[in-house]
Amino acid sequence: MSANAIYIDLPLRREQVARLQPGDEVLLNGTMLAGRDQVHKRFYEFLEAGQPLPVDISGETIFYMGPAPAPEGAVIGSCGPTTAARMDPFTPRLLAAGLRGMIGKGPRSDAVREAVRDTESIYFYAFGGCGALYAGRIAEARTVAFHELGPEALLALTVVDFPVLVAMDCHGNLFTE
């Protein structure tokens, strides 16, 4: 990250998101969620059935990752991003329910891009191959829902200077190199 990195405290606030532009380097600090396909599928099913979610996702950011087992003495094992497109079928519904930020790798669908614009949310890019770096930026990891999913359970992560790039801003503008 360059000296121009933008420090953001989580949870995300609408005014923070509104100032970010594609390509901005961001260092996230605070607590965010982590979950992949199965968490998203369950959230979607809860919402479609009119049931409350096991956690409030309003203003939350979710990191699309699955951790490796934690080595002895470590908070978490290697935890790099997974392909965001796998969450695309569920994402518009979750954004409408209040989710504000997403962290993953790879492109998103047109439906997600439209939902990001409609909800003034944001998609951050995490760097593939940097699972050890990300693990070192996590001060605490705890399972908060869906324990039975094992490594795919919903986690709450407390992060310090967690490096990401703005891949899609709240207007649907994309970062291109």
Side-chain angles (χ1 to χ4, degrees):
M1 287 280 150
S2 72
N4 296 327
I6 300 165
Y7 289 82
I8 292 185
D9 291 325
L10 298 170
L12 289 172
R13 294 183 317 277
R14 194 170 302 281
E15 59 273 10
Q16 290 171 310
V17 171
R19 290 193 302 261
L20 296 173
Q21 298 178 10
D24 281 349
E25 298 175 2
V26 177
L27 294 169
L28 300 173
N29 290 278
T31 302
M32 65 180 169
L33 301 173
R36 298 185 304 182
D37 316 50
Q38 291 303 311
V39 166
H40 282 72
K41 180 178 183 228
R42 288 188 183 192
F43 276 175
Y44 181 87
E45 290 169 349
F46 275 68
L47 292 168
E48 290 298 298
Q51 298 174 340
L53 297 178
V55 297
D56 183 7
I57 63 170
S58 299
E60 290 293 337
T61 299
I62 193 163
F63 180 28
Y64 304 145
M65 70 95 187
E72 189 166 331
V75 171
I76 196 168
S78 182
C79 55
T82 194
T83 303
R86 293 181 6 212
M87 274 47 77
D88 284 2
F90 313 110
T91 298
R93 183 68 176 96
L94 296 181
L95 292 174
L99 186 67
R100 178 139 316 124
M102 302 159 290
I103 304 170
K105 65 179 182 180
R108 306 306 298 268
S109 69
D110 290 340
V112 169
R113 189 173 180 188
E114 183 177 325
V116 163
R117 280 193 300 259
D118 291 347
T119 60
E120 298 176 359
S121 53
I122 195 159
Y123 171 51
F124 294 109
Y125 179 80
F127 306 96
C130 293
L133 168 74
Y134 286 120
R137 301 299 174 97
I138 297 172
E140 180 184 7
R142 59 188 169 81
T143 302
V144 293
F146 312 129
H147 293 74
E148 68 279 6
L149 294 177
E152 287 218 27
L154 180 66
L155 304 176
L157 305 176
T158 302
V159 298
V160 179
D161 293 344
F162 193 89
V164 293
L165 292 176
V166 175
M168 183 188 309
D169 71 9
C170 67
H171 306 289
N173 299 317
L174 303 173
F175 175 64
T176 55
E177 295 184 81

